[in-house]
Amino acid sequence: MKSRDLKTIHDLIVSDYKIEPIGNGKFIHSFKPATTNTVYQFEANGTPEVEEGERYNIGYYDDEHGNKIIETSCLSKNTEVNPRLSYLYATKLSEGKHEVNKGKNDDRVSHTAKDGYYWGKKYAWREFGLAISKDAFFAYLKEINHPKVECITRNPDMGFSNSGEPSTAYKEEGLADAINALISSAVKVTKVRFKSPLYSKQFVIKGIEAITDKK
């Protein structure tokens, strides 16, 4: 399931939780948000997977019959950080602002590379790295030696007084895969910090309520 096919809901309160057998030792789990009659479901064994009345963050898709199917790897209490769900939510947020980000990148970032599309630092993070901090994003790209070029960034609102500042732009090709690999390989080591064999430092993966492109 590709991230663009999945949708997210933050802070859903589980109500009317049911577990119904479908044969071969499998069961359909279903529940509704406390405020609507929309049913969400997933297939699992007979052990309860959620708690009635508790708050959850979920990722789901609509199947060919119109059922809302939860991706179980994107199901977690909203007090817990689920790396996959955070990455999914961040990806969706970035997709919704892609045209704005690309327009600003085109207008404000200048470089001489001819081998593909390059994103200035700010816009690279906004497009691909919102699930982690800017510092971790740039440090990780440096460690994996992701392709980059020197660039000049300008703020057009400053008119002729803005001569631009030297900065770095990152090649678009491979960026999404690099961040996806980091998140997929992340293992929790403390209450809030993760580690990955792809990166030498521990890092924080944000809960979806904390994900924003403003900082």
Side-chain angles (χ1 to χ4, degrees):
M1 180 60 56
K2 297 179 180 179
S3 63
R4 64 174 177 268
D5 298 323
L6 287 164
K7 305 172 185 177
T8 60
I9 292 182
H10 169 232
D11 204 26
L12 179 156
I13 301 174
V14 169
S15 67
D16 197 22
Y17 181 38
K18 299 176 182 178
I19 304 175
E20 300 174 302
I22 57 174
N24 297 321
K26 295 293 184 179
F27 297 78
I28 290 293
H29 296 238
S30 64
F31 57 81
K32 302 175 183 178
T35 55
T36 75
N37 288 321
T38 303
V39 176
Y40 298 89
Q41 63 188 55
F42 58 93
E43 184 178 313
N45 59 29
T47 304
E49 298 286 342
V50 299
E51 300 176 46
E52 186 86 18
E54 290 292 328
R55 297 174 181 269
Y56 285 81
N57 302 322
I58 66 171
Y60 72 96
Y61 64 93
D62 296 306
D63 70 10
E64 63 272 21
H65 305 295
N67 299 311
K68 298 187 181 301
I69 309 299
I70 292 174
E71 174 59 54
T72 53
S73 66
C74 296
L75 169 68
S76 62
K77 285 186 176 180
N78 73 344
T79 55
E80 302 170 351
V81 173
N82 180 309
R84 294 306 307 171
L85 184 54
S86 290
Y87 178 66
L88 167 65
Y89 182 84
T91 299
K92 288 294 185 182
L93 182 59
S94 296
E95 287 176 356
K97 297 186 176 182
H98 172 73
E99 293 302 322
V100 172
N101 288 333
K102 187 176 184 302
K104 289 182 177 180
N105 190 69
D106 290 342
D107 289 342
R108 303 182 180 194
V109 180
S110 302
H111 58 80
T112 59
K114 304 296 183 182
D115 62 334
Y117 191 80
Y118 281 75
W119 291 88
K121 291 181 69 173
K122 178 193 294 186
Y123 305 112
W125 175 72
R126 287 180 176 178
E127 277 286 301
F128 302 98
L130 293 183
I132 60 178
S133 71
K134 284 183 181 179
D135 288 345
F137 179 74
F138 299 136
Y140 170 58
L141 293 182
K142 181 177 180 180
E143 279 200 16
I144 65 173
N145 198 29
H146 186 82
K148 64 183 185 298
V149 295
E150 295 180 354
C151 69
I152 298 295
T153 60
R154 295 181 175 86
N155 184 347
D157 295 334
M158 296 180 64
F160 292 109
S161 64
N162 180 23
S163 60
E165 297 181 357
S167 187
T168 302
Y170 298 94
K171 191 173 185 178
E172 179 179 77
E173 182 181 358
L175 265 178
D177 289 341
I179 301 303
N180 182 45
L182 178 68
I183 299 297
S184 297
S185 60
V187 177
K188 182 178 285 189
V189 291
T190 72
K191 186 174 181 179
V192 298
R193 303 190 73 82
F194 292 80
K195 67 177 182 180
S196 163
L198 303 177
Y199 181 43
S200 64
K201 299 178 182 179
Q202 294 182 10
F203 59 102
V204 173
I205 298 176
K206 301 174 185 177
I208 66 175
E209 70 281 359
I211 293 173
T212 174
D213 63 356
K214 300 303 181 183
K215 58 181 179 179

